[in-house]
Amino acid sequence: MLQSILFLLLLVAAFGFFAWQVRKIRANILVGRDRDMSGHAAERFQKTLLVAFGQQKMFKRLTPALLHLVVYVGFLVINIEVLEIVVDGLFGTHRFLSFLGPVYSLLMATNEVLGALVIIAVAAFWWRRNRKPPVKRFTGVELRAWPRLDANIILYVEVILMVALFTMNTSDLKLHQLRGETLPGAFPISSLLTGLLPANAGALHLLERFGWWAHITGILLFLNYLPSSKHFHIILAFPNVWYSRLVPQGQFSNVESITHEVKAMMDPSFVVPPAPTAPDGSALAPTPFGAKDVEDLPWTNLLNAYSCTECGRCTSVCPANLTGKLLSPRKIIMDTRDRMEEKYNSPVIFRPNVYGAEAKHEPITDLANATLLRGKVTPEELWACTTCNACVESCPVNINPLESIIEMRRFLVLEESAAPNSLNVMFSNIENNGAPWAFSPSDRFNWADDLFAAEKPAKAAVA
Amino acid sequence: MADLAARNESPEILFWVGCAGAFDDRYKRVTRAFVRILEHVGTKYAVLGLEESCTGDPAKRAGNEFLFQMQAMTNITTLNGYGIKKIVTACPHCFNTIKNEYPALGGDYEVIHHSTYLQQLINEGKVGVTGGESFKGRRITFHDSCYLGRANNIYEAPRDVLAALDADLVEMKRSRANGLCCGAGGAQMWKEPEPGKKDINIERTEEALATLSGAAEALANLGGVETETSAPGPHDLQGSIIAVSCPFCMTMMSDGVKNKEQESRVQVFDLAELVASAEGINA
């Protein structure tokens, strides 16, 4: 009874605290600009099924995909046992799902095999990150200090949780053997481990309780660690994929306020729609063109930032990054998250990335007024982007770093006139000559001259 | 187009030439090759000529949304004025912009990239890809344009066109959705690259040359900046071809081949040029 009450309190506290943290993150995401993502439910559902549940894009790289699949399936299936643990904890039952008989045996056996595989996969993940040199995409200026520690903490916790599970099962199994009873379920791994435990009923009972409590409190603590961690992707990957862009990747967003201005310029009779006002009718501060800080980005890009697990597939295929330029799409996404938490709500553990001299940031003199642009992301990074969409294509959860890059370029050009000079030359060529190069518009049709002149002089007139 | 309109006629397709196709000396040859193909198959086509203007793609990718929309609306006014329904272009940047970004500003057209159009002509038997230069046994690798491939999911049309040439097609390790950018998109064409270890077009050219020479497998670290093409492959590069379908890729790959001093052995051609050559109608 006392255990049940203690457990209920623990459960309520853990979920309450988690909900409180999630609210903060939700508020952070909602500081972003409005973007209507309603509709297309069937298409979104299919995408979520394939990309999020089905891990479709993970399989662009086989080894990490298989390792990740083990941990992912393990997570899903072992959760059924967690459900049992919660019910047992609340009602003082023991293995209440065992009434399922053979199904329960199958479930327990699957859990045990998956649990062992998870430990192996996690060890492989650890090796890929911590060997010398590590897999290249686990390096980079944005992946030091806290992000590096965070990645390892997640792996250690996952192993601890699995070890607790095996401790619980093995001691329970041995206790039953000692008493000459049969433990419901099948335990292919634990049955191999019983020899490691003492043949003492009291000690075994203690061990079983210890494993049980360690597993469930571990899970509840981990749940509350998630909002401070890149591992939050296990939750947000799903809504993030649901809210993916459904248009061709090459289609960049249209800025409607500019459309109104251009229409008004070209057609004097065009009436510019009134600017939106605050609910009380007062004028709102004008929104800038493009993005200088997190609240200027569409909310979907902020959701992107919380869905990122910092795997670096984007950066590893970025042509600019591959050839040694500063741009790293992963860093743009991580900077966005850091900036949201620095400016708005921060989770329990907030450790913003601190870049060393190698990041070659322009010196930030006014920290209090720093923004995402220039405060974290430098123009040099933004101008290195070829808009090739390799980062967008590579992301297993459909994060779009390119949109943020373009939004910040828009701010640089339209609000600050801070484009590199050669691009300003290109702009004025388009304005004056209708071509990005300095050619005379009257020469535009010259290509046809020698084509038809020799053999088909009459044809030139057709075009 | 103005002449056709004056005669109250309308074309089957409008061929959108693009700034590179109209002004760049190298890409003008592609424009002419494509026009010869259109003439050869008897397609009733038109061009805007002096009335065409930059689609605004480089302005938009560089963040100058205002300039982009000015260009877009001017072009849309012209196109709608002539009642244009179907546009074919040899530039993936023009293709992407007109197809995807003009509709929001009032320009709705059926837009086709010339690789798709050439594929259709071959499938319909209008172009036999015979009678001219033979590509049998020549090694060709296709460099995917980002604005055709990842941006618009067109990967097979250019490969189908090349397959019709009966050449020896070899794929680079990074191709289709994993293709590596030539380095010119997003308005990079008009500026110096940011400081780094290497230019993107050099990295890509090295990969193409290694693939054509058959050395790609022998190169340990393909995919990183450490890549060098010093290791010779089993194949002689002489007469091999890097096929492109974009004016930017054309410039970047040609520059890369020159940088590697392979221009006497490896040539960069657009799909339209290859088809026109095979058909014996190249300018």
Side-chain angles (χ1 to χ4, degrees), chain A residues 76-362:
Chain A
L76 292 183
V77 176
I78 293 172
N79 266 328
I80 304 174
E81 189 169 354
V82 174
L83 189 76
E84 178 183 52
I85 288 177
V86 169
V87 174
D88 284 350
L90 285 176
F91 300 103
T93 50
H94 188 69
R95 296 186 179 267
F96 100 100
L97 280 178
S98 57
F99 72 89
L100 292 169
V103 177
Y104 186 72
S105 294
L106 185 69
L107 180 68
M108 287 300 116
T110 313
N111 277 353
E112 290 235 315
V113 173
L114 279 172
L117 288 174
V118 165
I119 292 177
I120 294 168
V122 166
F125 280 148
W126 186 90
W127 174 243
R128 287 165 64 84
R129 277 181 189 272
N130 294 286
R131 71 187 194 208
K132 303 263 182 278
V135 170
K136 195 157 179 279
R137 62 191 164 91
F138 300 128
T139 62
V141 287
E142 70 273 26
L143 220 62
R144 301 194 182 157
W146 171 247
R148 190 180 144 79
L149 179 63
D150 179 31
N152 280 329
I153 289 174
I154 294 158
L155 297 177
Y156 299 143
V157 170
E158 281 169 356
V159 169
I160 291 170
L161 290 178
M162 289 305 110
V163 168
L165 195 68
F166 281 122
T167 307
M168 177 183 99
N169 281 352
T170 310
S171 49
D172 204 11
L173 193 65
K174 186 152 187 172
L175 190 63
H176 278 74
Q177 286 170 354
L178 216 62
R179 290 174 181 159
E181 298 164 358
T182 318
L183 180 68
F187 303 91
I189 308 288
S190 292
S191 55
L192 301 175
L193 301 173
T194 45
L196 298 174
L197 299 183
N200 175 314
L204 286 173
H205 182 74
L206 262 177
L207 263 178
E208 193 274 337
R209 285 293 88 195
F210 174 76
W212 188 94
W213 278 100
H215 188 63
I216 190 65
T217 34
I219 286 174
L220 295 175
L221 286 173
F222 198 39
L223 181 74
N224 279 290
Y225 175 73
L226 294 186
S228 303
S229 160
K230 78 190 186 85
H231 210 55
F232 205 43
H233 88 282
I234 65 169
I235 294 169
L236 286 191
F238 298 92
N240 194 66
V241 172
W242 177 272
Y243 290 116
S244 311
R245 272 162 42 102
L246 300 175
V247 297
Q249 281 177 10
Q251 180 179 333
F252 287 16
S253 67
N254 184 46
V255 183
E256 211 161 344
S257 57
I258 292 180
T259 310
H260 295 150
E261 279 190 50
V262 172
K263 278 188 178 161
M265 278 178 69
M266 296 179 80
D267 173 9
S269 66
F270 179 80
V271 183
V272 177
T277 50
D280 61 3
S282 62
L284 288 166
T287 47
F289 294 126
K292 182 189 197 181
D293 214 339
V294 284
E295 61 275 6
D296 303 326
L297 289 168
W299 65 268
T300 48
N301 290 47
L302 304 185
L303 174 61
N304 280 178
Y306 276 110
S307 311
C308 175
T309 199
E310 303 166 10
C311 72
R313 289 177 181 222
C314 52
T315 293
S316 74
V317 294
C318 171
N321 192 278
L322 271 171
T323 53
K325 282 117 190 143
L326 280 190
L327 174 63
S328 162
R330 173 175 61 189
K331 176 178 173 293
I332 307 259
I333 295 294
M334 290 169 68
D335 285 343
T336 305
R337 177 177 167 143
D338 283 356
R339 177 62 190 158
M340 276 188 280
E341 302 193 335
E342 174 186 287
K343 186 167 183 181
Y344 296 100
N345 298 305
S346 55
V348 178
I349 306 164
F350 173 50
R351 306 277 295 274
N353 239 324
V354 180
Y355 303 114
E358 72 286 344
K360 289 188 220 158
H361 262 82
E362 290 171 0

Side-chain angles (χ1 to χ4, degrees), chain A residues 3-23:
Chain A
Q3 273 203 25
S4 292
I5 293 169
L6 269 177
F7 186 70
L8 180 68
L9 288 176
L10 177 71
L11 216 55
V12 170
F15 278 98
F17 194 50
F18 179 68
W20 179 70
Q21 294 201 72
V22 168
R23 275 176 63 94

